[in-house]
Amino acid sequence: MPLFSRRRFLASAAAVAAASALPLAGRARAQAIATHRLAARPARVTLIGPPHPDTEVWAYNGTTPGPVLRVRQGDRLRVEVANALEADTTVHWHGIRLPHAMDGVPHLTQPPIRPGESFVYEFECADAGTFWYHPHAESAEQLGRGLYGALIVEEREPVPVDRDLTWVLSDWRLDPTGAIVDNFGDLHDASHDGRLGNTVTINGRIPETFAVRAGERLRLRLINVANARIFALDFADHAPAIVALDGHPVAPHAPPEGRIVLGPGMRADIVLDCNGRPGSRATVADRFPRADVYRVVDLVYAEAPAVERAQPLAPVALPANPVAEPDLGHAVRHAFTFGGGMMGTLRTAQLDGRRVDMRTLMQNGFAWAVNGAVERGHAHKPLVTLKRNASTIFEFVNDTAWWHPIHLHGHTFRVVSQNGRPTRHREWRDTVLLPPRERAEVAFVADNPGDWMLHCHVLEHQASGMSSVIRVA
Ligand code: C2O
Ligand code: CU
C-alpha cells in the first residue's frame, strides 16, 4: 500500500476547493497563496543535549516545534498534511477565524486523517498576529509528544523593530534517560493540574542563553504550547510592553505585576527594549505562583556597544484586526459552569443520558463537567445554539479548585470582565484563563456558522470532560 493514498488526498482537495470558493471582488491586492506541506511522523530530536541521548518524539517535518508558517495578512494559506503516524490525526489552526470545514476537529469538522492518508487545509488569514497549529485528535498525547508549530500572520505594513522572534514554550515529561514518560491519560493528572512536565523548552531546546545587543528592540512572540503548564514570565530589569494577546492588538501596556501570564494555548506579543549594559546578563524566570520559581533562560548582552539611533524609539501600536464589534446592549447571554476535579463540589453529572456519581464518572475516565453534563468525543449535541450574527456574551464560571484556560473555536471574543470587574483593556482573545473559583465574561459576534468546540486547553482536562460544542446557525 502506498504511504499516502492518492484517492483520499484528491477527495479532500476537492472538498477544499468547494469550501473555499469565496468571492474575490473588492480586494485591494491580489490574494497570494502560501503553500506548505506538513508530515506528522516519529522523529528523534535533541531536546536536552549530550550526555543525554536524543528523544523520540512525534514531529511535523522532523522537527519540534514544526516549521514556522508565515503568511501575509489577507493571503490564503494552503497546507497539505500527511499522516505518517500510527494514529489518526488532524490539524487545528488555533485562533484563526476560518470556515468550519478547515477547523481540524475530528468527527466534528472533518473525518480524522487516517495513518498513511492526507488532507488539504486551505483558508484565508484575515487577522494578523501570532497563531499556532496542533492536532485535535488525542491532543494530550499528540501535543505531549511534540506536534505543534507557530503560524505567523504578518501585518500589511512591517512593524518597526530590530528583530521579530518567536518563542514556542513547551513542557515535557521526561524520564532520566530523556525519553518521554508514556503515561498519557493518567487520571491523577486529569483530575488535578493536568500533565505538568519537568523540562521546559524554547523552540524545542533547553535554552542556555539568548543573545541580545544593547539598545536593540525585539518583538517577541510568546506561544504556550504546553499541555498543562501555565507560565508567568518575568524579564528581570526589563520593561516589556504587551502589544498583542492571542494574536490581536491590545493597547500597549506593562504586564500586571511585571509578569506575562500564559495559560496553555495562549499567546502574547511583547516589545522588549534591550536596555541592559553591553556584556551584562539578565534572567528570565517563571514565577507562576503555584510552582517553584525557576530560570527559563538568560538574556546575554553582547560586548558590542549599544545600537545607535537617529531618533528615540516610539511605542509600537499594531493596527486592529477586522473583528466585528459585539453590541453589549443587545447581546444574548449564556452561562457555562465548569465543575469537577479534585477538591471540587461536583457530586453527580449527566453521562450518556444518565445521572451518575463522581466515582462512576472517574471509572469512565472523566473528572469534569460543563453545566453538569459530560460528553464523549468531539461531535455531540451543542450546548447552546446562537443565531448567526447575534451579539453574544458568554459567562464562564470556574466552580473548581484548578486553573482553566477556556478556548473557543472559530471566533475571537473580547474579555469584558474578570471576576466581576471590567477589564482594563477589553482585550480580544480566543482563550481566557480562569483562576480557581473565578469567573469571566466574554463578548463576541457569532458570525461564523458551524459547530465549534469550547473547551479547556489543559489537554488532560479537555479529554476528561471539560469540553463542549456550541452551534452558530
Ligand atoms: Cu488549541 Cu481546540 O484547540
Ligand atoms: Cu482545565
Side-chain angles (χ1 to χ4, degrees):
M1 201 186 121
L3 188 56
F4 305 117
S5 132
R6 184 166 161 78
R7 187 186 56 80
R8 258 304 168 120
F9 180 82
L10 291 176
S12 56
V16 167
S20 59
L22 296 174
L24 287 168
R27 289 186 195 283
R29 128 177 196 274
Q31 204 178 29
I33 300 194
T35 303
H36 295 271
R37 282 167 200 269
L38 292 177
R41 57 174 133 85
R44 287 183 72 83
V45 298
T46 305
L47 287 182
I48 314 178
H52 294 274
D54 285 354
T55 301
E56 298 269 4
V57 299
W58 294 358
Y60 292 116
N61 299 1
T63 67
T64 177
V68 178
L69 306 182
R70 285 192 101 92
V71 51
R72 287 267 303 281
Q73 183 175 16
D75 286 351
R76 297 182 73 77
L77 178 63
R78 176 187 167 90
V79 187
E80 304 175 9
V81 175
N83 181 6
L85 304 168
E86 280 170 21
D88 292 356
T89 194
T90 61
V91 179
H92 170 61
W93 311 91
H94 184 123
I96 302 280
R97 299 184 297 131
L98 41 58
H100 183 256
M102 297 292 107
D103 199 44
V105 179
H107 307 292
L108 188 69
T109 72
Q110 67 169 95
I113 313 171
R114 306 287 182 200
E117 293 182 347
S118 296
F119 189 88
V120 179
Y121 295 91
E122 189 182 324
F123 48 85
E124 180 184 319
C125 297
D127 300 324
T130 303
F131 302 95
W132 64 296
Y133 59 92
H134 64 77
H136 221 289
E138 300 299 334
S139 304
E141 175 167 15
Q142 297 197 7
L143 279 82
R145 291 191 184 278
L147 286 168
Y148 37 70
L151 167 53
I152 308 297
V153 184
E154 290 169 352
E155 290 80 13
R156 291 196 169 91
E157 301 297 328
V159 174
V161 294
D162 296 313
R163 288 193 288 158
D164 180 334
L165 301 164
T166 303
W167 282 7
V168 175
L169 294 154
S170 191
D171 178 34
W172 306 78
R173 187 179 286 183
L174 302 179
D175 72 15
T177 72
I180 293 172
V181 179
D182 192 17
N183 65 341
F184 294 99
D186 179 82
L187 210 50
H188 182 275
D189 287 339
S191 58
H192 292 74
D193 264 332
R195 180 182 168 94
L196 289 173
N198 51 20
T199 307
V200 168
T201 56
I202 296 179
N203 299 339
R205 286 302 290 265
I206 296 181
E208 281 308 320
T209 59
F210 179 74
V212 298
R213 179 159 176 207
E216 71 172 337
R217 169 171 277 187
L218 308 181
R219 176 184 188 165
L220 206 46
R221 303 168 184 267
L222 306 169
I223 309 178
N224 181 358
V225 305
N227 282 38
R229 182 174 297 279
I230 302 169
F231 293 94
L233 299 182
D234 170 325
F235 281 75
D237 290 334
H238 294 78
I242 296 178
V243 297
L245 291 167
D246 290 356
H248 293 270
V250 62
H253 63 280
E257 297 171 51
R259 293 171 195 174
I260 298 152
V261 177
L262 295 161
M266 300 170 92
R267 289 88 69 210
D269 287 33
I270 63 172
V271 169
L272 188 70
D273 286 326
C274 296
N275 53 11
R277 272 174 298 104
S280 67
R281 266 174 112 95
T283 293
V284 179
D286 179 2
R287 298 184 184 279
F288 184 64
R290 277 225 180 164
D292 295 338
V293 175
Y294 64 95
R295 183 182 74 100
V296 175
V297 67
D298 278 353
L299 307 181
V300 176
Y301 279 81
E303 296 291 349
V307 177
E308 304 261 0
R309 296 199 186 269
Q311 282 154 28
L313 290 165
V316 167
L318 302 172
N321 281 321
V323 187
E325 190 65 55
D327 175 357
L328 296 188
H330 298 90
V332 294
R333 295 186 69 95
H334 293 278
F336 298 85
T337 299
F338 301 96
M342 282 302 123
M343 298 177 287
T345 53
L346 190 76
R347 298 281 166 263
T348 66
Q350 206 63 32
L351 174 70
D352 302 329
R354 292 192 304 129
R355 181 150 293 278
V356 300
D357 62 10
M358 194 70 187
R359 205 187 135 124
T360 312
L361 276 186
M362 298 277 284
Q363 282 162 353
N364 280 270
F366 295 108
W368 311 91
V370 184
N371 289 353
V374 180
E375 300 284 2
R376 293 183 188 274
H378 284 101
H380 37 76
K381 207 171 98 259
L383 211 50
V384 306
T385 297
L386 304 170
K387 262 225 208 69
R388 187 165 178 187
N389 293 326
S391 285
T392 305
I393 296 175
F394 280 177
E395 184 182 21
F396 298 136
V397 180
N398 179 358
D399 190 22
T400 80
W402 307 92
W403 291 72
H404 305 290
I406 302 298
H407 172 50
L408 175 64
H409 286 211
H411 297 81
T412 300
F413 48 66
R414 272 199 193 282
V415 183
V416 293
S417 81
Q418 280 218 275
N419 225 20
R421 258 173 275 117
T423 53
R424 174 116 181 260
H425 300 288
R426 304 179 73 246
E427 56 272 24
W428 290 110
R429 282 198 163 282
D430 55 60
T431 306
V432 60
L433 184 60
L434 299 179
R437 313 270 178 222
E438 292 200 7
R439 53 184 68 213
E441 284 172 305
V442 305
F444 63 102
V445 178
D447 55 5
N448 200 354
D451 282 5
W452 302 102
M453 300 294 300
L454 172 70
H455 65 84
C456 180
H457 222 286
V458 171
L459 301 174
E460 294 71 27
H461 293 175
Q462 179 196 348
S464 59
M466 200 171 283
S467 177
S468 63
V469 168
I470 65 140
R471 175 169 295 167
V472 178

